Amino acid sequence: MKKNPIIPFVQSMRKHINSGTILLLATAAALIVANSPFSKFYFELFEDTYFSIDFHFWHLKKPFYYWINDGLMAIFFLLIGLEIKRELIIGELSSLQKALVPLVAAIGGMVVPALFYVAVNSTNADIIDGWAIPMATDIAFALGIMAILGKRVPIELKVLLTSLAIVDDLGAVLTIAIYYTDTIIWGYLALSIASWILLFLLGRFGVRSLFVFLIIGVLLVWYPMLKSGVHATVAGVMIAFTIPIRRKFDSGSFQKSIHEAIGHFKNGSGENESDILNHAQYGAIENIEDHCKDVTSPLQRLEHQLHAICLYGIMPIFAFANTGIDFRKVNLSEVASSGVSVGIILGLFFGKVIGIVSFIYIFRGLKVIELPKKLLLNQYIGTGFLAGIGFTMSIFITDLAFHGAAIADTAKMAIILASLLSGIAGFTILSRSKES
């Protein structure tokens, strides 16, 4: 029986709507605490509380804030890398014909917002580094809003937004690796790359143990990458691309092995049923567990395991640690007039939708891409607005561009405002799209 391609997206909708709600609650909690009598404790917890690891060649002493942004977020980027690899091999980006529409849309959705920001801030060298902030799309919030709309949003739009966001993530990773790296310590970088090649070869030679990939990945890819000066989250994506996607058993072999194991279980059953399995039954159960593991690829298993950890753990923790803005220390008139905030709001709210929709229709006019006939212009516009919800990745890039600078809070407020406006606009347009 052919697998329905819609099912993974339906499951993804359910996950993202819940994680989007949790992200929203985490952001609200951060803003409340940062402006309460507990604000001093909040900022001291993340900025002045240090954790250290000292184990042989491992020597790390970082504030709690850095453990979240360089450590936990590397796991989030590992998940992003797994999703990118899956889509490139068997998903919506696996062929040129499939990939062209989201690729074109994503390029427009990255280039035009960046140009908006640069146009506003081209003469200010102190803040031009924020040009990549409005390039990002927050998949959790965007898909969460689509999930709320349910059947009013065609599955083709959900696939487009998901694929577009994955290409966006790849663009963000490349930007972080290339632009937001100041000084490189080449010895550490060489060790990280050599270890990455080792992992790749292990996968090619049939190693399937996730423990092996993750332990080598953390010790010899992530840690040297962190020490090299290149942002450590890049290592997460690098590790993801070494995780094997091939499974050990095909479906036919799996069914045959399961039937055999069930037969052993039945043969091992005695006349008297007991709460304690005998050795034959327990052995059969272990065989079934092994077969279930072997019929799924290591990539699929790891992606499944990381989804809940990232969506319900790491991303809310990141949001809580990074969106605590003390309004008492922020000049609201500066937020309204600052080139940073104007550039971000124009980029996310206008640049995203203009870039996505214009590139789609320009390349359709050039006959480079072909669009589904049943989709309407206003549905693409609504999707373009939802892609303007930058939030998680935009805030992450803000930290790279302006960490420690007073302008960082202004940028974060602009991201929250622009994401809110984009979400409202996208929801409103898509909810009425059937009327056209």
Side-chain angles (χ1 to χ4, degrees):
M1 183 176 179
K2 190 175 180 181
K3 187 175 180 181
N4 188 342
I6 296 177
I7 293 176
F9 283 96
V10 173
Q11 294 171 338
S12 180
M13 295 302 108
R14 292 170 180 168
K15 289 179 180 177
H16 285 297
I17 185 173
N18 292 329
S19 66
T21 303
I22 294 173
L23 271 178
L24 194 60
L25 293 173
T27 302
L31 292 172
I32 292 170
V33 174
N35 292 276
S36 74
F38 300 101
S39 61
K40 183 179 179 181
F41 170 78
Y42 171 86
F43 290 108
E44 286 181 350
L45 171 65
F46 293 114
E47 298 175 8
D48 299 328
T49 304
Y50 281 75
F51 293 90
S52 62
I53 293 179
D54 196 341
F55 181 74
H56 292 291
F57 63 87
W58 263 59
H59 306 284
L60 281 179
K61 185 178 181 180
K62 297 281 188 179
F64 190 22
Y65 180 86
Y66 279 94
W67 283 106
I68 293 171
N69 286 28
D70 288 13
L72 290 182
M73 286 300 283
I75 300 174
F76 172 67
F77 274 77
L78 173 60
L79 175 62
I80 287 176
L82 295 171
E83 292 176 339
I84 292 172
K85 181 175 181 178
R86 171 174 49 78
E87 289 298 315
L88 287 172
I89 295 177
I90 60 171
E92 293 302 315
L93 305 177
S94 60
S95 68
L96 184 61
Q97 184 178 7
K98 287 183 177 181
L100 272 178
V101 176
L103 181 61
V104 163
I107 291 173
M110 289 187 284
V111 171
V112 176
L115 290 176
F116 267 82
Y117 185 94
V118 171
V120 173
N121 298 292
S122 58
T123 58
N124 194 333
D126 293 333
I127 58 178
I128 195 65
D129 281 351
W131 62 269
I133 295 172
M135 288 172 54
T137 295
D138 191 296
I139 188 68
F141 276 124
L143 287 180
I145 291 175
M146 277 195 168
I148 294 172
L149 290 167
K151 294 182 179 179
R152 283 176 287 181
V153 178
I155 190 65
E156 290 85 356
L157 281 183
K158 296 174 183 177
V159 173
L160 172 63
L161 182 59
T162 302
S163 305
L164 180 158
I166 288 173
V167 177
D168 259 11
D169 287 337
L170 182 58
V173 171
L174 293 175
T175 301
I176 292 168
I178 297 170
Y179 187 80
Y180 293 108
T181 297
D182 296 324
T183 303
I184 297 178
I185 302 176
W186 292 102
Y188 277 114
L189 183 60
L191 174 59
S192 180
I193 294 174
S195 302
W196 177 77
I197 294 173
L198 171 63
L199 282 180
F200 179 79
L201 292 175
L202 289 175
R204 296 292 292 179
F205 283 109
V207 176
R208 297 172 51 83
S209 171
L210 287 175
F211 176 80
V212 171
F213 283 94
L214 294 179
I215 199 69
I216 294 177
V218 172
L219 295 177
L220 297 177
V221 180
W222 175 80
Y223 176 77
M225 185 69 71
L226 176 68
K227 302 292 281 187
S228 74
V230 179
H231 202 274
T233 51
V234 175
V237 178
M238 290 174 59
I239 294 167
F241 272 76
T242 68
I243 306 296
I245 198 169
R246 290 184 179 179
R247 52 185 181 166
K248 189 174 181 179
F249 279 178
D250 59 27
S251 299
S253 300
F254 170 72
Q255 292 178 39
K256 181 180 178 181
S257 300
I258 289 295
H259 284 307
E260 290 177 356
I262 291 174
H264 291 315
F265 183 88
K266 290 179 178 178
N267 294 334
S269 302
E271 294 182 1
N272 299 321
E273 187 70 24
S274 171
D275 289 331
I276 303 298
L277 299 176
N278 60 41
H279 290 297
Q281 290 175 309
Y282 199 83
I285 292 295
E286 286 185 323
N287 283 336
I288 291 173
E289 290 176 347
D290 290 340
H291 296 324
C292 289
K293 182 178 178 181
D294 290 336
V295 80
T296 58
S297 70
L299 183 144
Q300 188 176 23
R301 290 202 310 275
L302 184 57
E303 184 181 355
H304 178 75
Q305 291 164 3
L306 289 181
H307 253 125
I309 294 172
C310 290
L311 295 180
Y312 304 119
I314 291 173
M315 290 175 67
I317 290 172
F318 171 82
F320 184 73
N322 286 270
T323 57
I325 303 168
D326 190 342
F327 295 120
R328 294 164 294 187
K329 297 180 180 179
V330 177
N331 187 333
L332 294 180
S333 62
E334 182 181 337
V335 174
S337 60
S338 168
V340 168
S341 56
V342 172
I344 290 172
I345 292 172
L346 288 178
L348 284 175
F349 186 67
F350 292 107
K352 270 288 183 182
V353 64
I354 291 172
I356 289 171
V357 176
S358 64
F359 269 53
I360 284 177
Y361 278 89
I362 287 171
F363 280 86
R364 188 192 71 164
L366 295 172
K367 301 188 184 303
V368 175
I369 61 175
E370 186 175 342
L371 303 178
K373 294 181 180 179
K374 67 178 182 179
L375 294 183
L376 306 170
L377 172 60
N378 62 350
Q379 290 176 318
Y380 286 112
I381 292 174
T383 303
F385 273 116
L386 289 187
I389 304 175
F391 202 72
T392 305
M393 195 66 78
S394 292
I395 291 173
F396 186 81
I397 295 175
T398 296
D399 179 67
L400 299 179
F402 302 129
H403 181 67
I407 199 67
D409 282 347
T410 299
K412 290 178 183 179
M413 289 186 67
I415 291 168
I416 294 172
L417 177 60
S419 297
L420 180 63
L421 292 174
S422 297
I424 293 172
F427 178 86
T428 302
I429 292 171
L430 288 177
S431 66
R432 300 176 178 177
S433 63
K434 289 297 184 182
E435 297 175 7
S436 300

